Amino acid sequence: MEKPYVVNEGNTDGLPFVEIAGVGNFSVFKTFDCGQCFRFDPTAPRRGGYAVSGVALGRTVSFEQTADGALTVYGADARDFEKIWLSYLSLDTDYDEIDRAVTTALDPDGCAVMRRAAEAGRGIRILRQDPWEALCSFIVSQNNNIPRIKKIIAAMCGAYGEDTEDGRGKAFPTARALADAGEEAIFALRTGFRAKYITDAARRVADGEIDLAAVAREEDFSLCEAELMKIKGVGPKVADCALLFGFGKTEAYPVDVWMKKVAARHFASGPDPRLFGKYAGIAQQYLFYMERYGT
DNA sequence: GGCCAGGTGCGTA
DNA sequence: TACGCACCTGGC
């Protein structure tokens, strides 16, 4: 795999940017469209192509990609890219190798369904999001649709998030901030019946009753799940999404209605996620993307 | 106006 | 253990 590297950095209207070369098997569109994060929206690209802007890891940032695949990150210099965004975007991981593993995991000769899924989802990278943000966001996601999930999270950030460093946006609120706000205030953000779940999670995390950093370090995946599922409103789906998108646990395999459709339509039984091993979550994203967004 | 949305907790067999 | 159902809300 060719490692992404900075070819140019500069400044436009006081906004720093970096241009990156060597980014293959990466799609900004698919990565931010596949439902793994809720704080980015499409914006007008500065140089054509496709762009998203949002807040992650407490910073405002835009990712822009032209048709030839070239990536520009706005709101970052070369150092920020190497220290923060390279890892956040999982560009330090060899997805060509993962794709090969995923397409042959179920059948050494290659599984037709997995080949199709890997093709449909090609370019998706599992983001390395903040653990608390991922956990809280997927609690909000239950029995909910993406536009409203985004709306609720934006309201939470607006009300309880700190300003980002450049003052252009709001960071995701800390667990402490949400715990202190209290259930009534969280309910007032139109979170509905999830208000008590969010509050329960915030309180346990803020009090250190649940140590998210320890969960991230824990090697035994079922222990990670069990720990998160101590929180009211966190079942297997929410726990697996949080672990996959916020804790770097790529063996997590969240099963939702779409994955049930995939299983029913394309597999006589299973697929057994254990066969994908450490890459189950990436296989899941490919299958999900194929079923949810077609092709 | 009823149904649904990337689930979960709880009550009932 | 294994179902079935309610659940806040906004959009169609």
Side-chain angles (χ1 to χ4, degrees):
Chain A
M1 151 186 145
E2 196 180 357
K3 200 148 193 248
Y5 58 95
V6 172
V7 289
N8 187 25
E9 62 178 329
N11 207 293
T12 174
D13 305 331
L15 183 67
F17 67 87
V18 273
E19 293 172 26
I20 314 302
V23 184
N25 201 343
F26 172 57
S27 162
V28 168
F29 175 81
K30 288 185 197 174
T31 298
F32 288 91
D33 181 56
C34 71
Q36 60 177 318
C37 69
F38 304 103
R39 296 215 64 205
F40 281 84
D41 288 304
T43 45
R46 292 165 183 265
R47 316 178 170 189
Y50 181 80
V52 294
S53 299
V55 179
L57 309 175
R59 297 153 192 269
T60 52
V61 66
S62 303
F63 302 108
E64 182 165 333
Q65 190 171 39
T66 44
D68 62 2
L71 172 68
T72 305
V73 183
Y74 291 93
D77 57 22
R79 190 184 156 80
D80 293 332
F81 177 75
E82 275 151 17
K83 293 257 180 238
I84 299 163
W85 304 116
L86 185 69
S87 162
Y88 176 76
L89 298 169
S90 280
L91 295 179
D92 51 2
T93 305
D94 188 346
Y95 268 62
D96 289 336
E97 180 54 38
I98 292 174
D99 291 356
R100 276 191 287 277
V102 156
T103 49
T104 54
L106 303 180
D107 179 348
D109 298 326
C111 163
V113 177
M114 286 314 302
R115 269 202 300 273
R116 231 185 94 199
E119 188 52 41
R122 184 178 167 79
I124 293 175
R125 301 267 171 160
I126 305 292
L127 297 172
R128 295 199 182 92
Q129 301 182 64
D130 172 71
W132 164 245
E133 176 172 344
L135 174 61
C136 191
S137 296
F138 282 96
I139 291 174
V140 172
S141 82
Q142 65 175 271
N143 195 225
N144 213 339
N145 55 58
I146 288 173
R148 197 161 80 95
I149 297 165
K150 285 185 155 186
K151 220 164 156 182
I152 290 171
I153 289 172
M156 283 174 38
C157 295
Y160 301 108
E162 300 278 330
D163 288 336
T164 55
E165 211 168 293
D166 65 1
R168 289 160 174 268
K170 291 282 188 180
F172 195 86
T174 61
R176 171 54 64 198
L178 294 184
D180 289 348
E183 187 181 325
E184 265 185 51
I186 301 301
F187 185 85
L189 300 174
R190 325 304 287 165
T191 51
F193 63 87
R194 304 160 196 84
K196 54 182 176 293
Y197 302 156
I198 297 164
T199 313
D200 182 55
R203 190 188 53 74
R204 288 180 197 243
V205 171
D207 292 353
E209 189 184 322
I210 290 180
D211 181 348
L212 299 185
V215 172
R217 282 193 304 270
E218 174 59 54
E219 304 252 330
D220 185 331
F221 182 74
S222 49
L223 286 182
C224 297
E225 273 184 319
E227 188 66 10
L228 294 188
M229 284 169 61
K230 286 180 184 169
I231 298 162
K232 211 180 271 303
V234 177
K237 159 64 167 63
V238 170
D240 285 2
C241 280
L243 289 167
L244 178 57
F245 303 125
F247 292 75
K249 306 291 180 186
T250 52
E251 65 267 54
Y253 189 88
V255 177
D256 57 25
V257 291
W258 293 99
M259 291 307 293
K260 283 175 188 163
K261 285 185 200 174
V262 167
R265 185 177 303 187
H266 298 290
F267 296 94
S269 67
D272 181 351
R274 287 171 300 186
L275 296 174
F276 296 116
K278 194 73 185 163
Y279 303 134
I282 295 155
Q284 188 272 1
Q285 279 299 287
Y286 291 163
L287 287 163
F288 174 82
Y289 199 86
M290 174 178 73
E291 190 68 20
R292 178 77 175 80
Y293 302 100
T295 68

